[in-house]
Amino acid sequence: MSVTLRNRFALAALLGTAVFFGPDIETARAQEASESRAKLNTSIPVSASNRTKLQLSVYPGNLAMVAEQRTADIPEGQSILQIDGLAPTVMDDSFLIGTPNNSDLVWTSLRNSMNGTDAITALLRNQIGKEVIIRRDDDLIEGKLLSLSGMALVQTDAGIEQVPIHQIIISKLPDGFSPDPSIEAEIATTSALDHLSMAYLLGGIGWNTSYVGHYDSEANNLTLSAIARVTNQSGAAFDDAQLRLVAGDPNRVSQAPMPVAKAARNEMMMSAMADSAGAAPDRESFENLHVYGPFDGLSMQDGDTVILPLIDKQSLPVTRRAIFNGSSNAYNMGQNGEPDFVRPDLEIKITNKGGADNQSPWPDGVVRIFANSTSGDTRFVGEDNLSLTPVEREATLRLGKASDVSGTRHVTSFTRKARPNMPDAVTADLEWKISNTSSRAETITIYENMPSDWVVNAENHKHVLVQPGLIRWDIDVPANQEVTVSWSVSSIN
């Protein structure tokens, strides 16, 4: 006998169903239900067409949780339920079944009939030992299906043949067969039920955040908003669902299964740039996660992409910098006498102030930044990845390579002397010439790698020790001017 599994989970929070705190069903009753299975000739359909409530919570990494209620006439005692209308990517070992608080339920087994795209194989398994028809060119040949393993083994008048599955014709579908995946549940309940609550995980549904930023370089300000892009590749459709989006990093042992990719059908419910975009949804914290929603009345076909508002516009002050990185190897820096020409990375830094409630993190996503040109047109500037950013934490966004700020790095002198049983003694003089040809002042940052046992002996701008082996200069370069940064280094060991 399979071990009885008792469901006492709080679907109250999900579907308004009472928490299950009824009296225990004795093990003997559950065993009796299992042993009486052979006496139950018909199963009770629990059809997706009788669904009365549907909630869909979508997690990162192509994972979703479905919680739903379906009406069904379930008598007291033992029954077999036929639950259909499930996605091919359902995780059957996550399946939960619940009842109202005036009843109690034990289920002794679940049988997953994963028909779906492999429906013909499931049908043929039921035909083993029975007569089937084989299509061969324009002829139809009768035979008996002996076994099924990749190919079908069929006995015909000519003998035993190996036949491709697609050549076998089944004249009649068995009773109760559904082309969709379904679960058969053996249950026992203390009272008659008119509905059933279920929750389960499935793969193939994912979401990501897309940010839109409008950058005003004169005011040093970024207006940031976000949308959610939900993609359904689960193999199932969802109608009139209440959607919630979960942001964070839940620990998972393995990734959810993904169906074969196919062309997505886009249902653009919200334009990212539209001024008339709907208000952002509510947000709540849940353990280590953040939940956005609910979005009511969501309908998605398999292959749909749905776009929804996520975060309202936020006006954020910006710190802008052009970043130069010295790249020479310390012990070989004097071998090339030509200056290195460098275009810096242009970056902006923003701080998450928490939005309207002062508590909202920024979920992972891609930030696409736009700005107005001198003619007033909106132009694309650049994009970067944004990792989950808690409140009061900074985020750095790279816009691309600067075109009006450039620099040359030159080793002006270099000496190297060998020392017995010690590293070579090195002294060097270096300089950066930074040119700003734009009409605005720019703040530039120079990073230089330097062995941790070296020292800066002289410099015309004060450096900052970022960490052992890395120093930095932060310098303001006026519009249409050039600044020189020079320093001398030497090894001390």
Side-chain angles (χ1 to χ4, degrees):
M1 182 194 76
S2 62
V3 177
T4 59
L5 302 175
R6 179 180 180 78
N7 287 306
R8 286 179 179 269
F9 61 97
L11 282 180
L14 295 171
L15 295 167
T17 303
V19 186
F20 316 136
F21 290 115
D24 288 344
I25 297 179
E26 300 86 351
T27 303
R29 290 192 61 183
Q31 182 175 5
E32 177 185 350
S34 180
E35 293 172 349
S36 302
R37 187 179 191 280
K39 300 178 183 179
L40 303 176
N41 295 323
T42 60
S43 59
I44 299 171
V46 184
S47 174
S49 61
N50 293 329
R51 182 183 286 139
T52 55
K53 292 183 180 180
L54 176 61
Q55 290 188 355
L56 181 65
S57 299
V58 183
Y59 290 76
N62 287 304
L63 177 71
M65 179 174 179
V66 175
E68 58 173 302
Q69 278 186 359
R70 299 184 185 186
T71 59
D73 293 325
I74 303 172
E76 179 184 354
Q78 65 267 23
S79 302
I80 297 177
L81 308 181
Q82 192 71 34
I83 304 169
D84 68 8
L86 303 173
T89 54
V90 63
M91 300 178 188
D92 49 20
D93 56 352
S94 71
F95 215 85
L96 304 172
I97 303 176
T99 62
N101 63 353
N102 60 352
S103 181
D104 211 343
L105 178 146
V106 166
W107 59 267
T108 55
S109 71
L110 293 178
R111 186 186 305 270
N112 186 353
S113 300
M114 288 300 293
N115 298 329
T117 56
D118 199 27
I120 186 64
T121 302
L123 281 171
L124 288 176
R125 288 196 190 101
N126 293 326
Q127 301 298 312
I128 293 176
K130 300 178 182 179
E131 297 295 323
V132 294
I133 298 173
I134 304 169
R135 183 189 300 277
R136 184 171 296 156
D137 297 328
D138 295 330
D139 296 328
L140 298 179
I141 301 170
E142 293 183 352
K144 185 177 182 179
L145 182 60
L146 300 178
S147 67
L148 192 67
S149 179
M151 300 277 283
L153 201 63
V154 180
Q155 184 174 16
T156 65
D157 291 341
I160 297 176
E161 304 182 38
Q162 210 172 28
V163 179
I165 290 176
H166 69 270
Q167 293 182 5
I168 299 178
I169 298 174
I170 300 173
S171 58
K172 183 181 179 182
L173 290 175
D175 293 338
F177 180 85
S178 170
D180 299 320
S182 63
I183 282 185
E184 186 181 89
E186 257 181 83
I187 70 163
T189 179
T190 57
S191 63
L193 304 174
D194 61 3
H195 72 274
L196 200 67
S197 298
M198 299 175 290
Y200 49 90
L201 299 174
L202 56 83
I205 301 181
W207 78 283
N208 62 274
T209 307
S210 292
Y211 292 89
V212 175
H214 188 274
Y215 177 44
D216 186 340
S217 60
E218 292 185 1
N220 262 345
N221 181 272
L222 182 73
T223 302
L224 187 71
S225 62
I227 59 172
R229 185 176 187 269
V230 186
T231 303
N232 179 18
Q233 296 284 347
S234 68
F238 299 89
D239 185 47
D240 196 23
Q242 188 180 75
L243 173 70
R244 286 178 171 84
L245 302 174
V246 183
D249 298 289
N251 188 58
R252 297 181 60 193
V253 176
S254 61
Q255 292 297 310
M258 280 293 293
V260 177
K262 63 179 183 179
R265 181 170 70 88
N266 290 328
E267 182 181 343
M268 306 299 289
M269 296 180 65
M270 188 67 62
S271 169
M273 297 295 290
D275 292 334
S276 59
D282 294 333
R283 182 199 60 84
E284 64 173 340
S285 296
F286 171 70
E287 299 296 341
N288 60 322
L289 306 171
H290 294 270
V291 183
Y292 296 87
F295 301 89
D296 293 322
L298 177 79
S299 294
M300 285 195 304
Q301 299 297 314
D302 181 36
D304 272 2
T305 296
V306 177
I307 293 182
L308 302 163
L310 187 68
I311 297 176
D312 283 333
K313 291 180 179 179
Q314 303 174 19
S315 182
L316 306 168
V318 165
T319 301
R320 171 182 169 130
R321 290 184 182 273
I323 311 296
F324 292 87
N325 289 288
S327 58
S328 294
N329 180 281
Y331 282 94
N332 296 318
M333 64 171 62
Q335 293 183 2
N336 180 11
E338 295 297 323
D340 298 324
F341 175 77
V342 179
R343 289 178 58 203
D345 295 323
L346 190 58
E347 298 179 349
I348 59 174
K349 187 176 292 185
I350 54 178
T351 301
N352 181 8
K353 293 301 183 181
D357 63 358
N358 300 316
Q359 297 178 352
S360 298
W362 291 334
D364 290 337
V366 175
V367 183
R368 295 182 176 90
I369 298 174
F370 300 82
N372 288 343
S373 65
T374 54
S375 62
D377 297 330
T378 299
R379 303 283 173 81
F380 175 69
V381 175
E383 64 183 11
D384 201 1
N385 290 311
L386 176 71
S387 59
L388 192 148
T389 307
V391 177
E392 295 300 335
R393 299 294 293 183
E394 292 181 336
T396 299
L397 303 173
R398 182 185 172 192
L399 301 182
K401 293 287 186 182
S403 56
D404 294 328
V405 179
S406 61
T408 56
R409 180 182 184 275
H410 189 203
V411 181
T412 57
S413 70
F414 181 84
T415 61
R416 177 175 179 172
K417 295 180 180 179
R419 295 183 294 181
N421 301 318
M422 294 182 66
D424 292 348
V426 175
T427 60
D429 298 318
L430 303 94
E431 72 174 18
W432 278 92
K433 287 188 176 180
I434 309 299
S435 174
N436 177 16
T437 59
S438 71
S439 58
R440 57 165 291 163
E442 294 283 4
T443 299
I444 64 103
T445 296
I446 299 173
Y447 288 102
E448 283 283 352
N449 293 302
M450 185 179 71
S452 57
D453 60 348
W454 287 24
V455 295
V456 176
N457 299 317
E459 57 186 339
N460 66 343
H461 293 273
K462 183 66 177 176
H463 77 274
V464 174
L465 179 65
V466 180
Q467 62 187 39
L470 182 65
I471 58 177
R472 185 190 78 213
W473 288 269
D474 296 315
I475 301 168
D476 291 327
V477 182
N480 295 307
Q481 291 192 31
E482 184 176 271
V483 171
T484 299
V485 181
S486 59
W487 73 102
S488 301
V489 294
S490 64
S491 58
I492 58 175
N493 291 324

